[in-house]
Amino acid sequence: IQKLCDRVASSTLLDDRRDAVRALKSLSKKYRLEVGIQAMEHLIHVLQTDRSDSEIIGYALDTLYNVISNDLEEEEQEENLPKQVDDLGSQFTEIFIKQQENVTLLLTLVEEFDFHVRWPGVKLLTSLLKQQGPQVQQIILVSPMGVSRLMDLLADSREVIRNDGVLLLQQLTKSNAAIQKIVAFENAFERLLDIITEEGNSDGGIVVEDCLLLLQNLLKNNNSNQNFFKEGSYIQRMKPWFEVGDDNCGWSAQKVTNLHLMLQLVRVLVSPTNPPGATSSCQKAMFHCGLLQQLCTILMATGVPADILTETINTVSEVIRGCQINQDYFASVNAPSNPPRPAIVVLLMSMVNERQPFVLRCAVLYCFQCFLYKNQKGQGEIVSTLLPSTIDATGNSVSAGQLLCGGLFSTDSLSNWCAAVALAHALQENATLKEQLLRVQLATSIGNPPVSLLQQCTNILSQGSKVQTRVGLLMLLCTWLSNCSIAVTHFLHNPANIPFLTGQIAENLGEEEQLVQGLCALLLGISIYYNDNSLENYRKEKLKQLIEKRIGRENFVEKLGFISKHELYSRAAQKPQPSFSSPDHMMFDHEFTKLVKELEGVISKAIYKSSEEDKKEEEVKKTLEQHDNIVTHYKKVIREQDQELEELKQRINTLTSQNEQLQATVTQQVSQIQQHKDQYNLLKVQLGKDTQHHNSHSDTFQMNGIQMEEVSKWKEELEEWKNKHELLQAQLREKDSVIERMKSSQLEMGTSEQSSQTSKPGGLEHNNELQKELEALRSQIQLQSAEICKLQMENQKLQVTNVTVDAVLGDSSATAANNSELEGRLQQEIKELKNEVKTLSEEKESLKQHLDSSSSTVAILQDEKSKLQQEVAESKKEQDDLLVLLADQDQKLSALKIKLKDLGVPVEDEDDIESGDQGDEDEDGDEEEQD
């Protein structure tokens, strides 16, 4: 080993150093001490200097792991080699971590992705944490990003490294809240739950177990992480863990272990030691996500292994403890039997069955206690099954009350104790049920009259049964009688009870009986402290005298102190769950230890008080009670009056404010109506102007001769005139042609006349006729030419008119376009006006409704005002009546004074003057009244 160490230290070639480190690794298992002492420094130097070569780094890390780890001791023992010192690994670890840089270097090497470096680095760091956990935790905590670097191991794709990373984090998070928080906030919950899901939940292998152990480390006693787990909705992801099939036979040992850890993880979140608010929120989350329902399914399933069933009962107990919604659900759960029975009844049957395993019976008792914890409704349901009116006479079904009574009077002392404690929890902090339980009657045997449950308990107590049975019954009686004077009276009414208790306390018995003596002293003390002195023979003073004579005060207080000094009492006071190593140790209940703490001091004080002090105290109490009652009564009256005054004031204030608001609303609405009216009138005027403007346009159109009908008429006339003109032109052309023909014929006729004057004797006459015809034609031509001129004039006029008409028609088309646009605008404005009118009418209707409601409110106010005025008038009338009575009295007084004067009795002058004045005034008043 020395030569190898020298080679590691002095060799310049990397291969030589690597071979030397490899040789040291092979020797490190067998010669752990020698290698550790001689080679550790050299190996650390290799880690620092040869980081470039992953192979030598891997060998060095493996060698250090073999030296530091204690995992190989078992193998050495098997080979009969001398046992190494137990703290050898711890000493080597101390040497390694003395230089904090070594741990920091190791964290850096763990970051390397190379498998041959990362895996041995993880194993070495885990071993260091096992040997010197707190010191290594502190170094990693102060190292920059130390915890974050280790969290990356969970994301490694190589399962070996990931699984060893989980083991490393287990050691890292042990008992260190700061590291637990960092790991949780580095998304550990998400990654671990993913691994559990990937591995198959409860059916997974040892990896699931390791993940669950790590989750327990992170959550146990860490309120911050528990809250983070709940807020991150991780509780919902726990539900699939508990989905078990119908065939529950043949569970593997690993599955049982996994499920056990899963149930413990649920209990960590709802542990009674957690802050109440955090526990309550987790309980509600478990109900809403269906986790509680899933647990109840396992509870009622068949074939579930006994230890899993026991742990499930304990888990359900803590999930429902003090949570009303969960307790109500649990009360509704039925077992899959025929006919179905409530789960509570089935569990109680197991509790009072002596053949069931002890741990299972303890778990059922705890479940019953948690079901009744702060659950007055559940307590009432249990006690009601014992009352005569609710017992099932047919006997078809067994109730919880019947099972508890059966267990209470069973021959099995453990059943007696469990039933007594369960019944005591049904009465815890519930005075009403303590009184109701006094009504319970039991039929002991055929032919004998029934006895009360209280009487039967004291009977069994006096029969000298087992210590466990008597302790259970005494705890039940102490719980029952505490803070219940009626129950104390019933207890004292049996003349055998007090002699039995004093006899038990006075005897000097062995250590086993000391506990019973202490509980008897507590019960007797409760009978004195809560005694209302209703029984003459068992008044407080007489019972104290009896203790003084039979036992002695000091002896009584000493016996009372036996309870709290007992070892089993201290164990029971630690936590609510009953956890006993054997049935013989099952003596005290957690809730009962609270009662003892509360009563031990006050009972000791009460025993030492004298009768005079008691009387004074009672008198003071009575006086204080009376005073308190009077004060309470007056406070109540004053409170009621104050409330009435406040209500009336508030009513007046509200009515006045309503009235003011309504008046303001009315004023506002009136002003709004006026504004709307003004707007409406303005719009109406504007609408009138627009229509007038439109009419002026049409008037202008008419003034210019632009009525559309007239224009069309003019066109028609123009066409007619044109046709006439053409006809006249044609006629004129015909006439011109006729005239031309006549002229030519006239010339011909002239020449022929000269030649034939001599030849034709009748030619002259013919010529005259032609002359006449010619003259006629000329005159006709002149007329026609005049007519033609006239027609030409008219034609010119018509052409001028045609031009003007065309111009006007052009203007009329433009005006028509403008007119259509104006008509569109007018229609739109009319629509808007109609809408505004509609809205105004709607507002008017709403204003009317407001006015109606305000007027009704005003009417109510006026009614109230009239009532008040009436009351004022009545009060004035009463005052007037009083004044009249006073006036009558004054008259009588004045008359009596006058009589006294007449009789010679001296009367003061002032009185005379005053009486005279008053008499005058009264007489004047009477005269006025007569008038």
Side-chain angles (χ1 to χ4, degrees):
I1 292 169
Q2 184 61 49
K3 285 181 181 178
L4 291 170
C5 290
D6 292 341
R7 280 176 63 190
V8 171
S10 59
S11 294
T12 54
L13 291 174
L14 180 61
D15 291 341
D16 292 342
R17 293 200 300 276
R18 189 188 303 123
D19 292 340
V21 173
R22 187 191 297 116
L24 284 170
K25 176 192 168 186
S26 62
L27 292 169
S28 60
K29 288 183 182 179
K30 196 169 185 179
Y31 303 102
R32 180 181 172 195
L33 179 63
E34 292 79 2
V35 172
I37 291 169
Q38 298 178 40
M40 182 174 284
E41 188 179 344
H42 301 297
L43 293 169
I44 293 169
H45 184 70
V46 166
L47 294 178
Q48 291 169 346
T49 55
D50 290 329
R51 288 185 58 186
S52 58
D53 185 64
S54 61
E55 197 173 351
I56 192 171
I57 295 290
Y59 292 145
L61 290 170
D62 281 331
T63 308
L64 286 169
Y65 171 73
N66 292 338
V67 168
I68 287 170
S69 175
N70 287 329
D71 296 342
L72 303 171
E73 284 184 3
E74 292 179 4
E75 295 177 12
E76 291 172 358
Q77 288 173 13
E78 287 173 5
E79 295 172 9
N80 297 320
L81 292 173
K83 187 179 178 183
Q84 298 288 335
V85 184
D86 288 341
D87 60 348
L88 193 59
S90 179
Q91 289 174 0
F92 283 133
T93 302
E94 199 171 336
I95 294 166
F96 184 83
I97 65 173
K98 190 177 283 185
Q99 300 294 326
Q100 291 189 8
E101 296 82 7
N102 295 340
V103 179
T104 310
L105 175 64
L106 194 53
L107 288 171
T108 310
L109 292 171
V110 167
E111 275 191 295
E112 296 286 338
F113 186 73
D114 193 312
F115 181 81
H116 297 290
V117 175
R118 196 171 206 182
W119 187 40
V122 169
K123 290 197 294 181
L124 177 58
L125 194 53
T126 307
S127 186
L128 291 173
L129 284 161
K130 280 182 183 176
Q131 304 298 337
Q132 297 284 343
Q135 293 89 331
V136 180
Q137 283 174 342
Q138 200 58 37
I139 295 167
I140 292 172
L141 193 59
V142 298
S143 174
M145 298 292 290
V147 179
S148 300
R149 289 189 232 178
L150 298 178
M151 282 299 299
D152 292 337
L153 296 171
L154 294 181
D156 200 304
S157 58
R158 296 160 294 194
E159 286 192 9
V160 177
I161 293 176
R162 184 198 69 184
N163 299 344
D164 280 350
V166 173
L167 295 173
L168 168 59
L169 290 169
Q170 271 184 35
Q171 298 299 326
L172 180 66
T173 54
K174 271 186 182 176
S175 307
N176 192 311
I179 292 177
Q180 288 167 4
K181 287 179 185 176
I182 296 169
V183 171
F185 283 97
E186 288 281 347
N187 207 21
F189 294 137
E190 184 77 33
R191 293 184 188 180
L192 291 170
L193 291 170
D194 286 343
I195 293 169
I196 292 169
T197 307
E198 287 168 14
E199 294 290 326
N201 294 327
S202 60
D203 294 319
I206 198 167
V207 179
V208 172
E209 181 184 343
D210 293 335
C211 289
L212 291 168
L213 288 168
L214 177 53
L215 283 170
Q216 276 194 23
N217 283 357
L218 295 173
L219 292 171
K220 199 167 188 178
N221 301 322
N222 193 318
N223 300 327
S224 171
N225 281 4
Q226 287 174 8
N227 189 51
F228 182 64
F229 191 83
K230 179 184 72 69
E231 295 295 333
S233 300
Y234 296 119
I235 289 175
Q236 288 83 328
R237 294 188 61 179
M238 297 168 77
K239 185 191 171 188
W241 295 355
F242 305 103
E243 290 175 355
V244 295
D246 297 329
D247 184 17
N248 294 316
C249 57
W251 283 20
S252 65
Q254 187 62 56
K255 180 168 183 174
V256 171
T257 305
N258 290 346
L259 208 53
H260 204 273
L261 288 169
M262 288 168 176
L263 291 166
Q264 284 182 352
L265 196 61
V266 174
R267 291 184 66 186
V268 164
L269 294 169
V270 291
S271 171
T273 57
N274 292 346
T279 300
S280 177
S281 59
C282 287
Q283 286 172 331
K284 288 174 183 171
M286 287 175 184
F287 173 76
H288 290 303
C289 76
L291 181 56
L292 174 59
Q293 293 84 328
Q294 204 67 49
L295 291 171
C296 289
T297 305
I298 296 175
L299 202 65
M300 294 292 109
T302 54
V304 178
D307 51 347
I308 292 296
L309 183 61
T310 304
E311 190 63 24
T312 305
I313 293 170
N314 287 328
T315 308
V316 169
S317 307
E318 292 183 353
V319 172
I320 67 173
R321 187 176 190 270
C323 180
Q324 189 65 54
I325 186 172
N326 291 5
Q327 288 167 337
D328 291 344
Y329 170 75
F330 185 69
S332 68
V333 175
N334 286 322
S337 59
N338 191 16
R341 285 178 176 171
I344 295 168
V345 172
V346 175
L347 291 172
L348 286 176
M349 289 169 77
S350 301
M351 186 184 77
V352 297
N353 185 354
E354 56 187 304
R355 288 185 299 235
Q356 293 291 345
F358 171 65
V359 287
L360 180 65
R361 296 173 76 181
C362 289
V364 172
L365 176 62
Y366 184 45
C367 186
F368 192 71
Q369 290 174 350
C370 291
F371 170 66
L372 296 177
Y373 183 70
K374 293 184 179 178
N375 182 10
Q376 291 195 346
K377 181 183 173 186
Q379 288 176 322
E381 288 171 356
I382 297 298
V383 172
S384 67
T385 59
L386 285 164
L387 299 177
S389 58
T390 55
I391 291 173
D392 186 6
T394 60
N396 290 333
S397 60
V398 181
S399 67
Q402 289 169 329
L403 287 168
L404 289 175
C405 281
L408 200 59
F409 310 123
S410 165
T411 55
D412 176 32
S413 61
L414 190 59
S415 295
N416 301 153
W417 191 91
C418 290
V421 170
L423 203 53
H425 275 262
L427 303 175
Q428 203 81 38
E429 298 178 2
N430 199 324
T432 310
L433 294 181
K434 289 177 183 178
E435 293 175 16
Q436 285 188 3
L437 202 64
L438 296 169
R439 295 165 45 206
V440 176
Q441 299 289 318
L442 301 172
T444 51
S445 59
I446 299 169
N448 293 329
V451 295
S452 68
L453 178 61
L454 185 66
Q455 180 65 45
Q456 185 66 11
C457 289
T458 53
N459 290 345
I460 294 170
L461 201 59
S462 61
Q463 288 169 6
S465 50
K466 290 182 182 177
V467 173
Q468 194 173 39
T469 302
R470 283 182 287 160
V471 168
L473 288 169
L474 284 166
M475 284 197 296
L476 171 59
L477 290 170
C478 289
T479 307
W480 194 347
L481 269 59
S482 65
N483 207 18
C484 184
S485 300
I486 298 170
V488 170
T489 306
H490 275 71
F491 179 75
L492 295 174
H493 197 71
N494 185 352
N497 288 340
I498 295 300
F500 167 73
L501 291 177
T502 52
Q504 286 284 315
I505 300 164
E507 288 181 16
N508 289 319
L509 303 170
E511 289 185 8
E512 289 185 358
E513 294 293 329
Q514 283 184 351
L515 192 54
V516 176
Q517 286 184 320
L519 290 167
C520 287
L522 180 65
L523 184 58
L524 185 55
I526 288 169
S527 301
I528 294 169
Y529 187 72
Y530 291 107
N531 193 343
D532 59 358
N533 294 328
S534 57
L535 294 174
E536 186 62 34
N537 294 332
Y538 296 104
R539 295 172 67 83
K540 283 186 180 180
E541 186 56 36
K542 288 189 177 180
L543 291 172
K544 285 184 193 176
Q545 288 172 2
L546 185 66
I547 289 171
E548 182 66 32
K549 288 177 185 176
R550 294 283 306 274
I551 307 165
R553 290 178 183 174
E554 290 80 7
N555 192 21
F556 178 85
V557 173
E558 184 186 352
K559 297 286 174 74
L560 185 63
F562 283 166
I563 303 171
S564 54
K565 289 175 186 174
H566 204 282
E567 181 189 355
L568 297 174
Y569 173 90
S570 304
R571 284 188 197 170
Q574 289 173 4
K575 58 180 182 178
Q577 184 184 358
S579 55
F580 307 102
S581 55
S582 70
D584 297 334
H585 293 160
M586 207 169 190
M587 288 293 175
F588 284 110
D589 171 55
H590 178 75
E591 291 297 324
F592 181 73
T593 60
K594 293 181 183 177
L595 183 69
V596 172
K597 258 183 214 173
E598 182 187 335
L599 293 177
E600 189 177 2
V602 294
I603 288 172
S604 300
K605 286 180 184 176
I607 294 299
Y608 280 104
K609 282 180 183 173
S610 63
S611 58
E612 292 178 359
E613 286 176 345
D614 276 340
K615 283 179 183 176
K616 283 181 183 177
E617 191 177 338
E618 284 180 10
E619 286 175 4
V620 169
K621 275 184 181 177
K622 284 180 181 177
T623 310
L624 286 171
E625 283 177 5
Q626 289 174 357
H627 182 262
D628 288 341
N629 290 335
I630 292 165
V631 169
T632 308
H633 174 68
Y634 279 115
K635 278 182 179 177
K636 190 178 178 183
V637 171
I638 291 166
R639 200 179 295 113
E640 288 174 356
Q641 289 178 347
D642 285 342
Q643 284 178 353
E644 287 177 4
L645 280 170
E646 285 296 324
E647 286 174 1
L648 289 169
K649 282 180 182 177
Q650 287 178 0
R651 194 176 172 192
I652 289 165
N653 290 332
T654 51
L655 288 169
T656 49
S657 62
Q658 282 178 4
N659 190 16
E660 288 173 0
Q661 286 176 1
L662 290 168
Q663 285 179 352
T665 308
V666 168
T667 309
Q668 188 179 357
Q669 288 171 351
V670 167
S671 63
Q672 283 180 357
I673 289 167
Q674 192 60 44
Q675 286 176 4
H676 288 313
K677 280 184 179 177
D678 295 342
Q679 288 176 3
Y680 179 71
N681 291 330
L682 283 170
L683 289 168
K684 203 172 180 183
V685 170
Q686 285 180 0
L687 184 63
K689 283 183 180 178
D690 289 339
T691 50
Q692 194 172 2
H693 181 65
H694 180 62
N695 291 334
S696 66
H697 273 291
S698 61
D699 290 342
T700 313
F701 200 70
Q702 288 174 2
M703 284 169 65
N704 290 331
I706 310 177
Q707 281 284 350
M708 295 302 290
E709 293 177 357
E710 291 184 5
V711 169
S712 60
K713 285 180 184 177
W714 285 356
K715 280 184 178 180
E716 289 175 359
E717 287 180 3
L718 184 61
E719 290 294 328
E720 288 178 1
W721 281 113
K722 280 182 178 178
N723 293 331
K724 284 181 180 179
H725 179 67
E726 288 175 358
L727 286 170
L728 288 171
Q729 288 284 349
Q731 286 177 3
L732 186 61
R733 284 195 294 274
E734 287 178 0
K735 295 291 182 183
D736 286 337
S737 63
V738 170
I739 288 165
E740 288 296 327
R741 280 201 312 271
M742 289 188 73
K743 280 181 179 179
S744 60
S745 63
Q746 191 176 1
L747 290 171
E748 288 176 358
M749 285 173 68
T751 55
S752 62
E753 186 181 351
Q754 289 175 3
S755 62
S756 59
Q757 277 179 358
T758 56
S759 60
K760 289 182 180 179
L764 185 62
E765 293 177 2
H766 183 67
N767 192 14
N768 289 331
E769 289 176 2
L770 288 171
Q771 280 285 353
K772 287 179 182 178
E773 191 177 353
L774 184 62
E775 288 294 328
L777 285 169
R778 281 179 179 170
S779 61
Q780 192 176 359
I781 286 166
Q782 286 175 356
L783 287 170
Q784 286 179 351
S785 62
E787 193 174 355
I788 285 163
C789 290
K790 188 180 175 182
L791 286 169
Q792 284 176 349
M793 291 284 288
E794 286 181 3
N795 188 11
Q796 287 175 357
K797 285 180 183 179
L798 284 170
Q799 283 177 354
V800 171
T801 307
N802 194 9
V803 170
T804 55
V805 167
D806 288 335
V808 170
L809 282 171
D811 293 336
S812 68
S813 63
T815 312
N818 292 329
N819 191 17
S820 62
E821 185 181 354
L822 183 63
E823 281 177 359
R825 283 174 55 197
L826 284 170
Q827 284 176 0
Q828 190 174 357
E829 286 178 0
I830 287 163
K831 282 182 182 177
E832 291 175 357
L833 287 168
K834 281 181 181 178
N835 290 331
E836 286 182 3
V837 169
K838 189 176 179 182
T839 52
L840 285 169
S841 62
E842 288 175 356
E843 288 178 1
K844 187 177 176 185
E845 287 296 322
S846 63
L847 288 170
K848 278 183 180 178
Q849 289 176 0
H850 283 302
L851 283 169
D852 292 337
S853 61
S854 59
S855 61
S856 63
T857 311
V858 170
I860 291 164
L861 290 168
Q862 285 176 352
D863 289 339
E864 289 183 356
K865 185 180 176 184
S866 62
K867 285 178 184 176
L868 291 170
Q869 286 175 350
Q870 190 176 356
E871 288 176 0
V872 170
E874 286 175 0
S875 61
K876 281 183 179 178
K877 189 177 178 183
E878 288 175 0
Q879 287 177 356
D880 292 334
D881 292 341
L882 287 169
L883 288 170
V884 170
L885 287 169
L886 287 169
D888 291 337
Q889 290 292 328
D890 288 335
Q891 280 184 355
K892 287 178 183 178
L893 283 169
S894 60
L896 288 168
K897 284 181 180 179
I898 291 165
K899 282 182 182 180
L900 287 169
K901 280 184 181 181
D902 293 337
L903 292 168
V905 178
V907 180
E908 292 181 4
D909 292 337
E910 289 177 2
D911 292 339
D912 290 336
I913 292 162
E914 287 174 6
S915 64
D917 293 341
Q918 288 173 358
D920 293 337
E921 288 172 5
D922 293 337
E923 285 172 5
D924 294 340
D926 292 337
E927 287 173 3
E928 285 173 5
E929 284 175 3
Q930 288 172 3
D931 293 336

